[in-house]
């Protein structure tokens, strides 16, 4: 932040010193805070003072220093492969100037599990307590990133309806802070159900660790799209490659834990039911973010063709329908997720009397499409070109409304979250791919439009009016690039 306020160029030496003290001081505070909270949590679940002292001493004197060195050593992998060597790796580990968060937790996790197993402690329980507070430590650490200006993203230009408002550097660490607050709150609920719930809920030990790997992996995979980190292999950043491993490992073990504890519905107590709902929610969120990141990665390396683009001729316009089909993967996945959660699918489309807010959404949709197609760009194609635009608009409106306004909204509701929070989360997730596609302005408009359609869905108890509104706005958003002369 100091960098973007212009202070670094004015006071380079002073700001450099302040940055170093602030950043490393906050890292130290993060570790100490997490260790204290972990110790208190272990005492609650029955660990003695000597055991807790051994755990914290090993963490503070071995695991954390090893993670700190690994976080610096990982910077070597940002260099060309020809520059990799053991000597360079050790040099970065001892005196490197940058830090990589994922490397700072991989090495400690391995060391801690091995040590606690050798000590005949219960390593899975200990790691659940440790990982519960990793998001809090991450929040404190990312506050340092936010203040000193590292890990920020690209320049954002805000322009609405032809009016340029401002520009600023994308504050990615701020997003990470807010997301980690949400991750902590979800992990805390999972932890409390396991260790403060019924006896049978203890069979889900390890779910906190695996949930963290899964949800953080998918979040970081998506956040990398907004950052300026250099890509090193196959069009992926170092973090994205590691996060793919997090997602696979966390997801695989969560599936195993759920399979091991499968029971008939009548034999599942309240703690287990809540656990399963939370794990289902985390799984859906991870799937949504991973599909978004994966889809745009495949588009960037030209494996998937982007369907919404200038149509050279009528054939290319109709081919957009075919090109769009892979983008329906998440709506289809949402269908199976709803079925697994026992949430009715057909009721989402039932026809009810439309509430007044529907007409507000419909007016906004038609107005925005008219603005796009006729205000700024009066020269558009006619005739049969409108057919593929209408078909893709129908497919897109049904798919997105089913995935965001039904699946995500309902699974959050099913997990016991409020209507307002459920609507807000689906609006944010709906905005993410639009931000990636069209930039900040488009993403912000998509967020508020998603909230508006969420309000329609809440009032109507159906996504049918949402689909109708969405179809009309897609006529403009999809039609503009395809119909432009």
């Amino acid at each position: 932040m100091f960098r973007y306020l212009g202070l670094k160029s004015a006071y380079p030496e002073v700001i450099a010193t302040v940055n170093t003290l602030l950043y490393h001081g906050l890292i130290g505070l993060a570790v100490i805070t997490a260790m204290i909270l972990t110790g208190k949590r272990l005492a609650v679940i029955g660990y003695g003072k000597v055991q807790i002292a051994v755990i914290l001493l090993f963490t503070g004197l071995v695991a954390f220093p090893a993670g700190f060195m690994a976080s610096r050593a990982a910077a070597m992998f940002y260099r060309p492969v020809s520059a990799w060597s053991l000597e360079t790796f050790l040099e970065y580990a001892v005196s490197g100037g940058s830090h990589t968060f994922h490397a700072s937790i991989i090495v400690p996790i391995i060391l801690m599990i091995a040590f606690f197993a050798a000590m005949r402690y219960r390593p899975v329980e200990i790691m659940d307590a440790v990982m519960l507070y990793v998001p809090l430590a991450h929040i404190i650490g990312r506050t340092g990133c936010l203040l000193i200006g590292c890990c920020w993203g690209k320049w954002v230009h805000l322009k609405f309806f032809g009016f340029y408002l401002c520009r600023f550097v994308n504050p990615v660490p701020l997003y990470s802070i807010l997301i980690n607050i949400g991750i902590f709150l979800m992990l805390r609920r999972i932890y409390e159900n396991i260790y403060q719930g019924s006896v049978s809920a203890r069979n889900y030990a390890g779910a906190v660790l695996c949930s963290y790997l899964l949800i953080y992996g998918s979040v970081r995979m998506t956040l990398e799209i907004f950052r300026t980190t250099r890509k090193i292999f196959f069009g992926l950043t170092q973090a994205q490659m590691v996060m793919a491993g997090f997602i696979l490992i966390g997801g695989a073990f969560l599936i195993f834990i759920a399979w091991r504890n499968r029971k008939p519905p009548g034999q599942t107590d309240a703690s287990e039911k809540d656990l399963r709902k939370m794990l289902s929610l985390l799984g859906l969120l991870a799937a949504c973010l991973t599909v978004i990141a994966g889809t745009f990665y495949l588009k960037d390396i030209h494996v998937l063709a982007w369907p919404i683009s200038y149509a050279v001729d009528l054939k290319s316009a109709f081919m957009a329908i075919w090109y769009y089909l892979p983008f329906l993967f998440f709506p289809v996945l949402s269908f199976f997720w709803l079925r697994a959660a026992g949430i009715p699918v057909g009721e989402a489309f039932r026809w009810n009397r439309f509430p007044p807010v529907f007409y507000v959404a419909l007016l906004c949709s038609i107005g925005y499409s008219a603005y796009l197609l006729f205000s700024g760009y009066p020269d558009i194609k006619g005739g049969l070109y409108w057919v593929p635009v209408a078909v893709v608009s129908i497919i897109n409106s049904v798919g997105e409304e089913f995935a965001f306004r039904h699946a995500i909204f309902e699974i959050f509701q099913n997990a016991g979250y409020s209507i307002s929070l459920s609507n807000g989360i689906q609006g944010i997730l709906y905005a993410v791919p639009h931000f990636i596609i069209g930039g900040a302005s488009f993403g912000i408009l998509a967020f508020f439009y998603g909230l508006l359609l969420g309000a329609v869905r809440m009032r109507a108890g159906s996504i049918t009016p949402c689909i109708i509104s969405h179809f009309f706005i897609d006529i403009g958003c999809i039609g503009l690039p395809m119909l432009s002369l």
Side-chain angles (χ1 to χ4, degrees):
M1 186 176 291
F2 296 146
R3 176 188 304 174
Y4 303 115
L5 291 175
L7 296 178
K8 186 174 181 179
S9 58
Y11 310 98
E13 294 182 1
V14 174
I15 294 302
T17 303
V18 171
N19 281 354
T20 300
L21 294 174
L22 182 64
Y23 183 74
H24 290 91
L26 286 173
I27 289 178
L29 176 63
V31 174
I32 292 171
T33 301
M35 288 176 61
I36 292 173
L37 293 173
T38 299
K40 290 183 177 181
R41 185 67 70 169
L42 291 174
V44 171
I45 63 175
Y47 282 81
K49 292 182 178 180
V50 174
Q51 290 177 311
I52 294 173
V54 170
I55 292 168
L56 296 184
L57 283 172
F58 180 82
T59 301
L61 299 180
V62 179
F64 169 66
F68 187 83
M69 295 178 69
S71 74
R72 296 197 294 195
M76 183 191 76
F77 299 110
Y78 288 112
R79 299 183 63 183
V81 177
S82 58
W84 294 3
S85 67
L86 178 60
E87 181 181 352
T88 304
F89 183 82
L90 294 175
E91 179 185 347
Y92 273 101
V94 173
S95 58
S98 62
H99 296 272
T100 304
F101 173 74
H102 51 266
S104 73
I105 60 173
I106 293 173
V107 172
I109 287 175
I110 295 172
L111 290 176
M112 292 167 77
I113 290 176
F115 176 75
F116 300 143
M119 291 293 293
R120 298 186 181 277
Y121 292 169
R122 297 186 293 276
V124 174
E125 288 187 359
I126 297 172
M127 292 311 301
D128 274 352
V130 171
M131 299 310 292
L132 171 61
Y133 294 111
V134 166
L136 289 184
H138 200 175
I139 289 167
I140 298 172
R142 285 300 177 195
T143 301
C145 291
L146 180 68
L147 293 176
I148 70 174
C150 72
C151 304
W152 285 49
K154 306 170 186 176
W155 280 97
V156 172
H157 299 265
L158 289 184
K159 183 179 180 181
F160 297 99
F161 304 103
F163 296 98
Y164 185 83
L165 296 183
C166 63
R167 74 167 192 157
F168 57 89
V169 179
N170 206 350
V172 177
L174 177 61
Y175 307 152
S176 185
I177 290 169
L178 297 174
I179 290 168
N180 273 285
I181 292 173
I183 292 175
F184 168 71
L185 294 175
M186 288 190 288
L187 292 183
R188 185 178 66 176
R189 185 168 156 188
I190 293 172
Y191 186 94
E192 290 175 349
N193 273 299
I194 296 173
Y195 296 100
Q196 297 176 16
S198 61
V199 174
S200 59
R202 283 289 184 109
N203 294 326
Y204 289 82
V208 177
L209 169 60
C210 296
S211 295
Y212 178 80
L213 294 177
L214 179 64
I215 191 62
Y216 177 72
S218 60
V219 166
R220 181 64 183 273
M221 180 80 77
T222 308
L223 281 178
E224 284 293 291
I225 298 173
F226 300 95
R227 296 177 61 178
T228 57
T229 311
R230 188 169 66 86
K231 298 174 182 178
I232 56 173
F233 286 118
F234 309 109
L236 294 170
T237 67
Q238 181 194 120
Q240 286 177 318
M241 297 184 69
V242 175
M243 292 308 106
F246 276 28
I247 293 167
L248 290 173
I249 293 170
F253 277 101
L254 279 179
I255 291 172
F256 172 74
I257 291 170
W259 176 81
R260 185 184 63 188
N261 292 284
R262 65 192 187 281
K263 295 177 183 177
Q267 298 179 17
T268 305
D269 58 38
S271 296
E272 289 181 276
K273 287 180 180 177
D274 195 57
L275 267 172
R276 287 185 170 273
K277 290 177 180 178
M278 286 301 300
L279 295 179
S280 177
L281 172 60
L282 278 172
L284 178 67
L285 289 175
C288 177
L289 293 170
T290 303
V291 167
I292 289 172
T295 299
F296 289 97
Y297 166 71
L298 293 175
K299 182 184 75 68
D300 284 341
I301 62 173
H302 307 295
V303 172
L304 290 180
W306 183 242
I308 307 170
S309 58
Y310 174 73
V312 177
D313 51 30
L314 196 58
K315 180 181 177 181
S316 64
F318 275 92
M319 285 301 293
I321 300 172
W322 174 257
Y323 293 150
Y324 185 80
L325 294 181
F327 295 87
L328 290 176
F329 179 73
F330 182 63
V332 173
L333 184 64
S334 299
F335 172 81
F336 292 101
W337 221 281
L338 288 165
R339 293 291 297 273
I343 298 173
V345 174
E347 292 184 7
F349 299 94
R350 66 177 182 268
W351 189 277
N352 294 328
R353 187 174 65 180
F354 294 160
V357 69
F358 160 69
Y359 299 101
V360 175
L362 184 62
L363 182 63
C364 291
S365 300
I366 295 173
Y368 189 66
S369 282
Y371 166 77
L372 291 177
L373 292 173
F374 305 114
S375 297
Y377 303 89
D379 297 325
I380 58 175
K381 299 183 181 75
L384 290 177
Y385 281 93
W386 285 90
V387 175
V389 171
V391 173
V392 176
S393 295
I394 291 171
I395 297 173
N396 184 66
S397 59
V398 173
E400 290 192 341
E401 291 310 309
F402 183 78
F404 292 98
R405 254 64 71 183
H406 184 57
I408 293 175
F409 182 86
E410 283 294 330
I411 289 180
F412 261 90
Q413 286 278 279
N414 186 57
Y417 289 100
S418 69
I419 292 176
S420 299
L421 181 61
S422 302
N423 191 33
I425 296 297
Q426 68 81 18
I428 292 172
L429 291 174
Y430 174 68
V432 170
H434 294 82
F435 194 114
I436 298 171
I437 295 169
S441 300
F442 193 46
I444 291 171
L445 289 174
F447 169 68
F448 286 107
Y449 187 67
L451 292 183
L452 178 60
L453 291 183
V456 174
R457 188 254 180 274
M458 288 187 289
R459 297 289 189 275
S462 168
I463 62 171
T464 298
C466 301
I467 293 171
I468 295 171
S469 294
H470 200 145
F471 168 77
F472 281 102
I473 203 169
D474 277 349
I475 289 293
C477 294
I478 293 173
L480 176 61
M482 290 180 64
L483 297 173
S484 297
L485 290 172

